[in-house]
PDB file of all heavy atoms in Angstrom:
ATOM      1  N   SER A  62       8.185  40.583 -13.349  1.00 96.00           N
ATOM      2  CA  SER A  62       9.508  40.685 -13.962  1.00 96.00           C
ATOM      3  C   SER A  62       9.421  40.848 -15.471  1.00 96.00           C
ATOM      4  O   SER A  62      10.371  41.275 -16.112  1.00 96.00           O
ATOM      5  CB  SER A  62      10.330  39.443 -13.619  1.00 96.00           C
ATOM      6  OG  SER A  62       9.673  38.279 -14.079  1.00 96.00           O
ATOM      7  N   CYS A  63       8.283  40.505 -16.040  1.00 95.00           N
ATOM      8  CA  CYS A  63       8.103  40.640 -17.483  1.00 95.00           C
ATOM      9  C   CYS A  63       7.970  42.099 -17.910  1.00 95.00           C
ATOM     10  O   CYS A  63       8.060  42.422 -19.086  1.00 95.00           O
ATOM     11  CB  CYS A  63       6.863  39.872 -17.930  1.00 95.00           C
ATOM     12  SG  CYS A  63       6.925  38.111 -17.559  1.00 95.00           S
ATOM     13  N   LEU A  64       7.781  42.974 -16.946  1.00 97.00           N
ATOM     14  CA  LEU A  64       7.506  44.370 -17.279  1.00 97.00           C
ATOM     15  C   LEU A  64       8.767  45.223 -17.299  1.00 97.00           C
ATOM     16  O   LEU A  64       8.696  46.443 -17.331  1.00 97.00           O
ATOM     17  CB  LEU A  64       6.516  44.942 -16.254  1.00 97.00           C
ATOM     18  CG  LEU A  64       5.134  44.276 -16.253  1.00 97.00           C
ATOM     19  CD1 LEU A  64       4.325  44.775 -15.068  1.00 97.00           C
ATOM     20  CD2 LEU A  64       4.400  44.583 -17.540  1.00 97.00           C
ATOM     21  N   LYS A  65       9.914  44.578 -17.293  1.00 94.00           N
ATOM     22  CA  LYS A  65      11.157  45.349 -17.266  1.00 94.00           C
ATOM     23  C   LYS A  65      11.428  46.020 -18.602  1.00 94.00           C
ATOM     24  O   LYS A  65      11.993  47.101 -18.675  1.00 94.00           O
ATOM     25  CB  LYS A  65      12.329  44.439 -16.892  1.00 94.00           C
ATOM     26  CG  LYS A  65      12.309  44.073 -15.416  1.00 94.00           C
ATOM     27  CD  LYS A  65      13.490  43.176 -15.059  1.00 94.00           C
ATOM     28  CE  LYS A  65      13.472  42.842 -13.570  1.00 94.00           C
ATOM     29  NZ  LYS A  65      14.550  41.919 -13.200  1.00 94.00           N
ATOM     30  N   LYS A  66      11.023  45.370 -19.685  1.00 90.00           N
ATOM     31  CA  LYS A  66      11.303  45.925 -21.008  1.00 90.00           C
ATOM     32  C   LYS A  66      10.350  47.053 -21.352  1.00 90.00           C
ATOM     33  O   LYS A  66      10.733  48.122 -21.778  1.00 90.00           O
ATOM     34  CB  LYS A  66      11.219  44.823 -22.064  1.00 90.00           C
ATOM     35  CG  LYS A  66      12.311  43.795 -21.905  1.00 90.00           C
ATOM     36  CD  LYS A  66      12.142  42.665 -22.922  1.00 90.00           C
ATOM     37  CE  LYS A  66      13.222  41.612 -22.704  1.00 90.00           C
ATOM     38  NZ  LYS A  66      13.042  40.458 -23.605  1.00 90.00           N
ATOM     39  N   SER A  67       9.089  46.780 -21.178  1.00 95.00           N
ATOM     40  CA  SER A  67       8.100  47.813 -21.441  1.00 95.00           C
ATOM     41  C   SER A  67       6.915  47.604 -20.528  1.00 95.00           C
ATOM     42  O   SER A  67       6.626  46.479 -20.106  1.00 95.00           O
ATOM     43  CB  SER A  67       7.667  47.779 -22.910  1.00 95.00           C
ATOM     44  OG  SER A  67       7.043  46.548 -23.198  1.00 95.00           O
ATOM     45  N   LYS A  68       6.238  48.660 -20.236  1.00 97.00           N
ATOM     46  CA  LYS A  68       5.141  48.585 -19.272  1.00 97.00           C
ATOM     47  C   LYS A  68       4.058  49.561 -19.683  1.00 97.00           C
ATOM     48  O   LYS A  68       4.246  50.774 -19.618  1.00 97.00           O
ATOM     49  CB  LYS A  68       5.671  48.924 -17.880  1.00 97.00           C
ATOM     50  CG  LYS A  68       4.644  48.803 -16.776  1.00 97.00           C
ATOM     51  CD  LYS A  68       5.323  49.144 -15.457  1.00 97.00           C
ATOM     52  CE  LYS A  68       4.330  49.088 -14.307  1.00 97.00           C
ATOM     53  NZ  LYS A  68       4.972  49.470 -13.023  1.00 97.00           N
ATOM     54  N   ILE A  69       2.980  49.036 -20.169  1.00 97.00           N
ATOM     55  CA  ILE A  69       1.902  49.870 -20.669  1.00 97.00           C
ATOM     56  C   ILE A  69       0.675  49.644 -19.791  1.00 97.00           C
ATOM     57  O   ILE A  69       0.150  48.526 -19.728  1.00 97.00           O
ATOM     58  CB  ILE A  69       1.579  49.533 -22.134  1.00 97.00           C
ATOM     59  CG1 ILE A  69       2.848  49.639 -22.986  1.00 97.00           C
ATOM     60  CG2 ILE A  69       0.483  50.458 -22.658  1.00 97.00           C
ATOM     61  CD1 ILE A  69       2.693  49.036 -24.367  1.00 97.00           C
ATOM     62  N   GLU A  70       0.255  50.693 -19.154  1.00 98.00           N
ATOM     63  CA  GLU A  70      -0.882  50.553 -18.253  1.00 98.00           C
ATOM     64  C   GLU A  70      -2.185  50.483 -19.032  1.00 98.00           C
ATOM     65  O   GLU A  70      -2.421  51.253 -19.954  1.00 98.00           O
ATOM     66  CB  GLU A  70      -0.911  51.746 -17.287  1.00 98.00           C
ATOM     67  CG  GLU A  70      -2.018  51.621 -16.253  1.00 98.00           C
ATOM     68  CD  GLU A  70      -1.975  52.779 -15.254  1.00 98.00           C
ATOM     69  OE1 GLU A  70      -0.913  53.041 -14.686  1.00 98.00           O
ATOM     70  OE2 GLU A  70      -3.016  53.433 -15.080  1.00 98.00           O
ATOM     71  N   THR A  71      -3.031  49.552 -18.652  1.00 97.00           N
ATOM     72  CA  THR A  71      -4.335  49.415 -19.270  1.00 97.00           C
ATOM     73  C   THR A  71      -5.282  48.789 -18.256  1.00 97.00           C
ATOM     74  O   THR A  71      -4.893  48.526 -17.126  1.00 97.00           O
ATOM     75  CB  THR A  71      -4.241  48.554 -20.552  1.00 97.00           C
ATOM     76  OG1 THR A  71      -5.513  48.494 -21.175  1.00 97.00           O
ATOM     77  CG2 THR A  71      -3.790  47.150 -20.214  1.00 97.00           C
ATOM     78  N   THR A  72      -6.471  48.565 -18.655  1.00 97.00           N
ATOM     79  CA  THR A  72      -7.394  47.883 -17.753  1.00 97.00           C
ATOM     80  C   THR A  72      -7.531  46.427 -18.169  1.00 97.00           C
ATOM     81  O   THR A  72      -7.235  46.063 -19.310  1.00 97.00           O
ATOM     82  CB  THR A  72      -8.785  48.541 -17.780  1.00 97.00           C
ATOM     83  OG1 THR A  72      -9.336  48.430 -19.088  1.00 97.00           O
ATOM     84  CG2 THR A  72      -8.700  50.004 -17.374  1.00 97.00           C
ATOM     85  N   LEU A  73      -7.980  45.638 -17.257  1.00 96.00           N
ATOM     86  CA  LEU A  73      -8.144  44.213 -17.541  1.00 96.00           C
ATOM     87  C   LEU A  73      -9.129  43.996 -18.690  1.00 96.00           C
ATOM     88  O   LEU A  73      -8.922  43.155 -19.564  1.00 96.00           O
ATOM     89  CB  LEU A  73      -8.632  43.503 -16.277  1.00 96.00           C
ATOM     90  CG  LEU A  73      -8.903  42.018 -16.405  1.00 96.00           C
ATOM     91  CD1 LEU A  73      -7.666  41.279 -16.879  1.00 96.00           C
ATOM     92  CD2 LEU A  73      -9.363  41.458 -15.083  1.00 96.00           C
TER      93      LEU A  73
END
Side-chain angles (χ1 to χ4, degrees):
S62 59
C63 300
L64 296 171
K65 286 180 179 177
K66 293 176 182 176
S67 63
K68 183 179 178 182
I69 305 167
E70 184 177 309
T71 183
T72 62
L73 178 57

